[in-house]
Amino acid sequence: MRLEEMLSTHPRPPQMGVPEITAFIRTCFECADVCLSCADACLSEEQVQSLVRCIRLNQDCADICEVTGKLFFRQTEADAATFRAQLEACIAVCRACAAECDKHADMHEHCRICAEACQECLQACVQMQERYPSPSAGAIS
Amino acid sequence: MRLEEMLSTHPRPPQMGVPEITAFIRTCFECADVCLSCADACLSEEQVQSLVRCIRLNQDCADICEVTGKLFFRQTEADAATFRAQLEACIAVCRACAAECDKHADMHEHCRICAEACQECLQACVQMQERYPSPSAGAIS
Amino acid sequence: MRLEEMLSTHPRPPQMGVPEITAFIRTCFECADVCLSCADACLSEEQVQSLVRCIRLNQDCADICEVTGKLFFRQTEADAATFRAQLEACIAVCRACAAECDKHADMHEHCRICAEACQECLQACVQMQERYPSPSAGAIS
Amino acid sequence: MRLEEMLSTHPRPPQMGVPEITAFIRTCFECADVCLSCADACLSEEQVQSLVRCIRLNQDCADICEVTGKLFFRQTEADAATFRAQLEACIAVCRACAAECDKHADMHEHCRICAEACQECLQACVQMQERYPSPSAGAIS
């Protein structure tokens, strides 16, 4: 609830609807948190050896999604080129992490949930890209 | 929803009830996020000069609350002395940040909400301390 | 000194020379730290109002450069597509932050140093991109 | 070099000598980085199963030391009670992590170096505590 209130009372209102941007930020932060927890759950599994790649990608995905959430939460003087590039980084890491977690989804429920969260975050980033079209898009060549 | 599911499917179940620990972690992460946003909102205010101390404490509070949430989210091989000390750090910074935000609560709605979030996080940490009593507590001197 | 030792004793040696990768990681971490400090120094300036955009970009740049350093410091099971995209994000934010800091370089020595650190990090990322060519590069169309 | 320059050109000079505070901040950041790398190196070891506690404490230590460095790097409007509590948290986690890494120091060079970095950071925090005496210290009871 409070994230939405914060954006509503911000002296610079978001460039899109408050519910829409709040949902995006929440998705990024949730994916970051779920990845942190998946890395930790994998570390406690007996077959940790087989989950090494999963743990590593969970860590990268947690780090990148957290920063994506922070960037879009800040309303002050944003740089569009940075936003575009950060969305690409977030899409890349969510794709890699979802693919890896998916391999363990039958064995480990936490990997199944994490793959789901990564997929959702990836989709949210793809949708957000429409708001930040690359400067050359639509240009007559 | 997913944070609770992650803890429920973790190979090492939390030492307290899943809803209880999830609520605590959420409170820490929400306080971190609200502080990040309050710093950013203050930065966009015309009277930013008068909000400098608020921004600084918001940043510290965001950093410390985020780490507190991460520590308690990890279920693997926790160290109790670290948890105890981290709770103290979180209480100290929430107290300082709540007090500062409170001074601007009449002027800035985002400061009022942030003071509230800090107070709530502070109370949650105080309650969590009961779970991690200091080793000497109750010792006969 | 210790970062280099850590990479030298890692069970999976880096894919490039230890001095080269260590220098890159140091550049990212230093840029992150300098940006954090520049944001804080700007916040203490009397003309903070004129430095609002600088502070915001400093924060983004600190966040992204820190994650870039972390990603490349981890040697376990890296994902090349994520590395490529993260380098792009790092280049975008370093460019934006360097350009903004540069505007205040005559007035504020900390902005001059920060612009320098961002430029250096940007160049380091551009060089690192050669190690992670995009899959389509050089493909016969 | 640049961290020292940033503190020297900060509008609010540090309360202690620039070389002294810079050395402290560097020690915190280096310990954080070494812990990140040790967690990653452990993850790549064949006997990762026996290093699970080490990885977990490395992660906590990386998170807390990084925040300690950030807090003391910021010169604007610091809160002494927060600094005191954060030093305690940093001491607690460095102690736990050093003790665990020490157990694997004969087997893994990265654990030996990490234990050393944690011990050094712990000592630096203990020394820094003298600068932030608790309010009741020296009070006549």
Side-chain angles (χ1 to χ4, degrees):
Chain A
M1 275 302 291
R2 281 199 180 109
L3 304 203
E4 201 148 0
E5 285 184 290
M6 290 305 287
L7 288 170
S8 303
T9 63
H10 197 291
R12 299 195 204 204
Q15 288 188 291
M16 61 198 85
V18 168
E20 186 188 351
I21 182 71
T22 311
F24 177 71
I25 294 161
R26 271 189 195 293
T27 300
C28 295
F29 284 151
E30 189 185 61
C31 189
D33 297 340
V34 166
C35 285
L36 176 106
S37 182
C38 191
D40 180 67
C42 289
L43 199 59
S44 280
E45 293 291 352
E46 276 178 52
Q47 324 90 307
V48 55
Q49 200 84 55
S50 65
L51 294 162
V52 164
R53 182 170 172 79
C54 195
I55 294 173
R56 195 259 145 91
L57 293 177
N58 280 156
Q59 291 170 335
D60 289 0
C61 198
D63 288 345
I64 293 176
C65 290
E66 192 180 301
V67 170
T68 308
K70 286 181 180 181
L71 255 67
F72 282 82
F73 207 0
R74 295 186 186 121
Q75 301 302 314
T76 305
E77 296 280 353
D79 175 65
T82 300
F83 275 27
R84 266 193 298 277
Q86 182 67 22
L87 287 172
E88 289 290 356
C90 208
I91 287 168
V93 78
C94 284
R95 181 173 292 135
C97 193
E100 182 61 29
C101 275
D102 217 42
K103 292 184 195 165
H104 315 286
D106 289 342
M107 290 280 288
H108 304 300
E109 191 64 3
H110 50 82
C111 287
R112 192 192 58 74
I113 302 164
C114 190
E116 227 177 70
C118 291
Q119 274 295 348
E120 218 171 282
C121 189
L122 189 161
Q123 292 306 322
C125 288
V126 169
Q127 273 188 277
M128 187 57 77
Q129 284 185 314
E130 290 170 31
R131 298 279 189 170
Y132 293 90
S134 114
S136 60
I140 299 157
S141 56
Chain B
M1 275 301 291
R2 281 199 179 109
L3 305 203
E4 200 149 359
E5 284 184 290
M6 291 304 287
L7 288 170
S8 303
T9 63
H10 197 290
R12 300 193 203 204
Q15 288 189 293
M16 61 199 83
V18 167
E20 186 186 352
I21 181 71
T22 311
F24 177 72
I25 294 161
R26 272 190 194 292
T27 300
C28 294
F29 284 151
E30 190 185 62
C31 188
D33 297 340
V34 166
C35 284
L36 176 105
S37 182
C38 190
D40 181 67
C42 288
L43 198 60
S44 279
E45 293 290 351
E46 278 177 51
Q47 325 90 308
V48 54
Q49 199 85 56
S50 65
L51 293 163
V52 165
R53 181 169 173 79
C54 194
I55 293 173
R56 195 259 145 89
L57 293 177
N58 280 157
Q59 291 171 334
D60 289 359
C61 198
D63 287 343
I64 293 175
C65 290
E66 192 180 301
V67 171
T68 308
K70 286 181 179 180
L71 255 66
F72 282 82
F73 207 1
R74 294 185 187 122
Q75 300 302 314
T76 305
E77 297 280 353
D79 176 65
T82 299
F83 275 27
R84 266 193 297 277
Q86 182 67 23
L87 288 172
E88 289 288 356
C90 208
I91 288 168
V93 79
C94 284
R95 182 173 291 133
C97 194
E100 184 60 29
C101 276
D102 216 43
K103 291 182 194 165
H104 315 286
D106 288 343
M107 289 281 287
H108 305 300
E109 191 64 2
H110 50 80
C111 287
R112 191 192 58 73
I113 301 165
C114 191
E116 227 177 70
C118 291
Q119 274 296 347
E120 218 171 281
C121 189
L122 188 161
Q123 291 306 323
C125 289
V126 168
Q127 272 188 279
M128 187 56 77
Q129 284 185 314
E130 290 169 32
R131 297 278 189 171
Y132 293 90
S134 116
S136 60
I140 299 157
S141 57
Chain C
M1 275 301 292
R2 282 200 179 106
L3 303 204
E4 200 149 359
E5 285 183 290
M6 290 306 285
L7 288 171
S8 304
T9 63
H10 196 291
R12 299 194 205 205
Q15 287 188 293
M16 60 199 84
V18 168
E20 186 187 351
I21 182 69
T22 311
F24 177 71
I25 295 161
R26 271 189 196 292
T27 300
C28 294
F29 284 151
E30 189 185 61
C31 188
D33 297 339
V34 166
C35 285
L36 176 106
S37 182
C38 190
D40 180 67
C42 289
L43 199 59
S44 280
E45 293 290 351
E46 276 178 52
Q47 325 89 307
V48 55
Q49 200 84 54
S50 66
L51 294 163
V52 164
R53 182 169 173 80
C54 194
I55 294 173
R56 196 260 146 89
L57 293 177
N58 280 156
Q59 291 170 335
D60 289 0
C61 198
D63 287 344
I64 292 176
C65 290
E66 191 180 303
V67 170
T68 307
K70 286 180 180 181
L71 254 66
F72 282 82
F73 207 1
R74 294 186 187 121
Q75 300 302 314
T76 306
E77 296 280 354
D79 176 64
T82 300
F83 276 27
R84 266 192 297 277
Q86 182 67 24
L87 287 173
E88 288 290 356
C90 208
I91 288 168
V93 78
C94 284
R95 182 174 292 134
C97 193
E100 183 61 30
C101 275
D102 216 43
K103 291 183 195 166
H104 315 287
D106 289 343
M107 288 280 288
H108 304 300
E109 190 65 2
H110 51 82
C111 287
R112 191 192 59 72
I113 302 165
C114 190
E116 227 177 70
C118 291
Q119 274 297 348
E120 216 171 283
C121 188
L122 190 160
Q123 291 307 323
C125 288
V126 168
Q127 272 187 278
M128 186 56 77
Q129 283 184 314
E130 290 170 33
R131 298 277 190 172
Y132 293 90
S134 115
S136 60
I140 300 156
S141 56
Chain D
M1 274 301 291
R2 282 200 179 107
L3 304 204
E4 201 150 358
E5 284 183 292
M6 290 305 287
L7 288 170
S8 302
T9 61
H10 196 292
R12 298 194 206 203
Q15 287 188 293
M16 61 199 85
V18 167
E20 186 187 351
I21 182 71
T22 311
F24 177 71
I25 294 160
R26 271 189 196 292
T27 300
C28 294
F29 283 150
E30 188 186 61
C31 189
D33 297 340
V34 166
C35 284
L36 177 106
S37 182
C38 191
D40 180 67
C42 288
L43 199 59
S44 279
E45 293 289 351
E46 276 178 52
Q47 325 90 309
V48 55
Q49 200 83 56
S50 65
L51 294 163
V52 164
R53 182 171 173 78
C54 194
I55 294 172
R56 195 259 146 87
L57 293 177
N58 280 156
Q59 291 170 334
D60 290 0
C61 198
D63 288 344
I64 293 176
C65 290
E66 191 180 303
V67 171
T68 308
K70 286 180 181 182
L71 255 67
F72 282 83
F73 207 0
R74 294 184 187 122
Q75 300 301 314
T76 307
E77 296 280 354
D79 176 64
T82 299
F83 275 27
R84 267 193 296 277
Q86 183 67 23
L87 287 173
E88 289 288 355
C90 208
I91 288 168
V93 80
C94 284
R95 183 173 291 134
C97 194
E100 183 61 29
C101 276
D102 216 43
K103 290 182 196 168
H104 315 288
D106 289 343
M107 289 280 289
H108 304 301
E109 192 65 2
H110 51 81
C111 287
R112 191 192 59 72
I113 301 165
C114 191
E116 226 177 71
C118 291
Q119 273 297 348
E120 215 170 286
C121 189
L122 189 161
Q123 292 307 324
C125 288
V126 168
Q127 271 186 279
M128 187 56 78
Q129 285 185 313
E130 289 169 33
R131 297 279 190 171
Y132 293 91
S134 117
S136 60
I140 299 156
S141 57

